[in-house]
Amino acid sequence: MQPERPDYPGLTRLKESHNPRRRALWTTLVYLVAGFIWITFSDRIVELWFPDARMLSLVQTWKGVLFVVVTGLVLFTVILRQLNKDRVLLSLQSDQRRALRRRERQLTVLMDNLPGMAYRCLPDEDWTMLFVSAGCADLTGYQPEELIRNRITSYAALMDEEDAGQVAQEVEAAVRKDESFSVEYAITRKDGRKIWVWERGCGVLDDDGTMVLEGIILDISDRKQLENELEALATRDSLTGVLNRRECSRVLIEELERARRYNRPLALLWIDFDHFKEINDTWGHAAGDSVLCSISSLLEDSVRSVDTLGRFGGEEFVLILPEMDVAEAEETAERLRQRVCNQPVALESGHNIRLTISIGVAVFPDHGDTLDALCAAADKAMYRAKKQGRNCIAMAQAVQPVHNGFR
């Protein structure tokens, strides 16, 4: 980020007219012309005016003195004019230096007080830094001299390899269109901590015609964290941390479409806690919340990473099991029921609570081929498990094929 020099048109003209050779030739030429004119015309005029030899000799003597005086005045005038121009030139140069120093101080103060890092770099694979502001230390942990010309490390080395490639493509596209670019990516600081940054810049031509990038890089880790928290609030249950009803429904729709496209099974477990109201009435709602969190964590830890657990409301949870047929779904449901039954929940008061669950199991396409049908089948199966005495599982009823015509 180099400051531009102030533009002084008069200074440029003075510099062009004050070439040393040109000035010496000009002074010499003036002297020769004045001497030639004096020698050529003064002798003839004196001879015409003073025919007497004695008077002519006296006049010639004074003419020589006058010649010295005249040529001296001419030289004085020429030199004075040149020195005046030199004074103006020096004054302009002094003003330019003061203005340049003032702008450099302003730019230094601005750069040092930026919340991030200003930079000037080459658009090569290393993002070779030609200049970085003092904010480099706070942003990356490296001192400016450690990054400039890749002395210790390159800026590209701080970026993830995948991010570096994507950023390079976006920057190249913007520079090619002569537009500014704005990108977000993660970097790893010198202390090993990963942060998110936002970069804004543009491509400019250097004095020698080389393309360079200039811009600013800001730490947006706090903003990213806030975005993640807002995203979690929009998709996660605030108490248990599992998916909320809306996000779980979206995942179920996607998994159902995938199962239908590839003709694969999809299991849905509808889970309800038994006698949960008694826990709230006996131990309080805080204890009930603790039980919900503990059991939801237990369920999540007991299934595959591709499976999805969500809270549909109250003490009702659903578990989406891709690529799982009827027999596997029934076995998984029974395993979860037993694990919850055999795992007491410890309260802050020191008491242990044993809890049971009832599970309804439905599998696509055996028990329904649409979202509503599959959810209704699993819900009805769960209520059937309740009627059967709780702490058990129930399979949904198979869909009866529709026949047209007479039997």
Side-chain angles (χ1 to χ4, degrees), residues 30-47:
V30 169
Y31 180 79
L32 291 176
V33 169
F36 177 77
I37 293 174
W38 182 270
I39 293 172
T40 302
F41 297 100
S42 64
D43 288 344
R44 183 172 301 176
I45 293 173
V46 168
E47 290 176 357

Side-chain angles (χ1 to χ4, degrees), residues 186-199:
I187 65 172
T188 302
R189 287 169 40 91
K190 188 176 184 179
D191 56 12
R193 182 164 59 92
K194 181 166 288 191
I195 63 172
W196 277 89
V197 299
W198 173 79
E199 179 179 348

Side-chain angles (χ1 to χ4, degrees), residues 237-243 271-277 279-280 283-301 309-318 340 343-347 353-357 386:
D237 177 60
S238 58
L239 176 63
T240 62
V242 300
L243 296 185
I271 304 170
D272 189 79
F273 292 7
D274 298 330
H275 303 296
F276 186 75
K277 184 176 182 299
I279 297 176
N280 284 332
W283 303 100
H285 288 281
D289 291 345
S290 178
V291 169
L292 285 175
C293 294
S294 298
I295 298 301
S296 62
S297 297
L298 178 64
L299 292 174
E300 267 196 317
D301 294 340
L309 178 66
R311 185 185 180 192
F312 258 44
E315 62 272 17
E316 280 191 343
F317 290 78
V318 295
V340 172
Q343 183 71 45
V345 178
L347 301 180
I353 297 179
R354 288 191 176 274
L355 186 75
T356 62
I357 57 176
K386 293 279 190 181

Side-chain angles (χ1 to χ4, degrees), residues 171-385:
V171 171
E172 182 181 357
V175 171
R176 189 166 52 248
K177 297 177 182 178
D178 196 21
E179 298 175 350
S180 60
F181 56 85
S182 178
V183 290
E184 296 180 4
Y185 53 89
I187 65 172
T188 302
R189 287 169 40 91
K190 188 176 184 179
D191 56 12
R193 182 164 59 92
K194 181 166 288 191
I195 63 172
W196 277 89
V197 299
W198 173 79
E199 179 179 348
R200 175 82 173 183
C202 62
V204 297
L205 290 178
D206 207 348
D207 294 337
D208 58 0
T210 303
M211 174 62 70
V212 297
L213 303 178
E214 290 186 346
I216 185 171
I217 302 174
L218 303 179
D219 184 351
I220 59 168
S221 299
D222 292 341
R223 195 198 79 188
K224 274 291 183 180
Q225 182 180 357
L226 179 60
E227 289 178 357
N228 293 335
E229 291 174 355
L230 293 175
E231 182 180 357
L233 289 174
T235 61
R236 296 279 175 177
D237 177 60
S238 58
L239 176 63
T240 62
V242 300
L243 296 185
N244 58 25
R245 184 187 187 108
R246 184 179 64 181
E247 185 66 12
C248 193
S249 298
R250 185 192 65 78
V251 173
L252 182 56
I253 292 173
E254 291 182 354
E255 292 294 343
L256 191 61
E257 288 297 325
R258 187 178 294 108
R260 183 180 292 110
R261 185 183 307 116
Y262 297 105
N263 194 26
R264 301 297 299 169
L266 171 67
L268 179 65
L269 274 56
W270 208 279
I271 304 170
D272 189 79
F273 292 7
D274 298 330
H275 303 296
F276 186 75
K277 184 176 182 299
E278 296 179 4
I279 297 176
N280 284 332
D281 293 341
T282 304
W283 303 100
H285 288 281
D289 291 345
S290 178
V291 169
L292 285 175
C293 294
S294 298
I295 298 301
S296 62
S297 297
L298 178 64
L299 292 174
E300 267 196 317
D301 294 340
S302 303
V303 294
R304 306 166 300 177
S305 60
V306 296
D307 302 330
T308 302
L309 178 66
R311 185 185 180 192
F312 258 44
E315 62 272 17
E316 280 191 343
F317 290 78
V318 295
L319 189 58
I320 305 170
L321 306 171
E323 301 281 335
M324 193 170 286
D325 58 22
V326 174
E328 293 172 328
E330 185 177 8
E331 179 184 351
T332 299
E334 177 61 23
R335 177 171 56 82
L336 294 176
R337 183 197 67 79
Q338 292 182 10
R339 186 164 187 184
V340 172
C341 180
N342 297 329
Q343 183 71 45
V345 178
L347 301 180
E348 292 183 357
S349 62
H351 296 86
N352 291 328
I353 297 179
R354 288 191 176 274
L355 186 75
T356 62
I357 57 176
S358 298
I359 306 177
V361 183
V363 179
F364 170 85
D366 304 73
H367 307 126
D369 58 358
T370 65
L371 176 66
D372 293 339
L374 196 64
C375 290
D379 188 38
K380 289 179 181 178
M382 184 271 295
Y383 278 106
R384 194 162 62 254

Side-chain angles (χ1 to χ4, degrees), residues 21-38:
R21 181 179 301 175
R22 180 182 300 177
R23 294 172 60 190
L25 289 175
W26 169 251
T27 304
T28 303
L29 181 62
V30 169
Y31 180 79
L32 291 176
V33 169
F36 177 77
I37 293 174
W38 182 270

